[in-house]
Amino acid sequence: TETTHFPMPDQSNREKAYQNLKDSVQRMAETAEKEGIYIGMEPVAEHTMNDPEITRRLIDEVGSRQIKVIFDPSNLLLPAMVGEQQAIFERADSLLGDYIKVVHVKDVVIANGKKQMCGLGQGVVDFPSMFKWLRENQPDVPLLRENSKRESDESDIAYIKKDCEVI
């Protein structure tokens, strides 16, 4: 699941927020281990667990094999980071590759400095690069279309088939 929202750009309490998150995840991991279930953690740029580095830190410090990652490229983007997507994919793979078990697929536009959902291929997410990265590094990871709308289902599927060569 996604983690707690963290006010931007105030970084003064980030470590305290991280420690609170780690405490919660440690307790969840204990239960997950007893029950034989997994925890899917999803890093989000505006949250406490906001990038691949802090996500890997949490995984290492909690030390549970039950923690897995839901990778959602659009969630790791801040408006100023749109041009850094390839680097984000590479960092995610090098730090989280073995833990990524699901990829969320959604697109966003940046309007008035905020992200807003839109149909696939209509926003800023670099899907051709993302799918190329997935084919090369995570070819068996399931893709889950997130925030889909019935009216854009056909165009979303057509976009993925034609422009991203994944299906």
Side-chain angles (χ1 to χ4, degrees), residues 52 88-98 100 133 137-138:
I88 291 170
F89 302 154
E90 290 169 6
R91 288 178 17 236
D93 184 57
S94 70
L95 294 167
L96 306 172
D98 292 341
I100 296 173
W133 170 77
N137 300 286
Q138 300 286 335

Side-chain angles (χ1 to χ4, degrees), residues 44-60:
V44 179
E46 298 90 351
H47 289 195
T48 302
M49 193 173 73
N50 65 327
D51 63 25
E53 290 78 12
I54 202 148
T55 303
R56 181 55 189 251
R57 176 183 170 197
L58 181 72
I59 291 168
D60 290 345

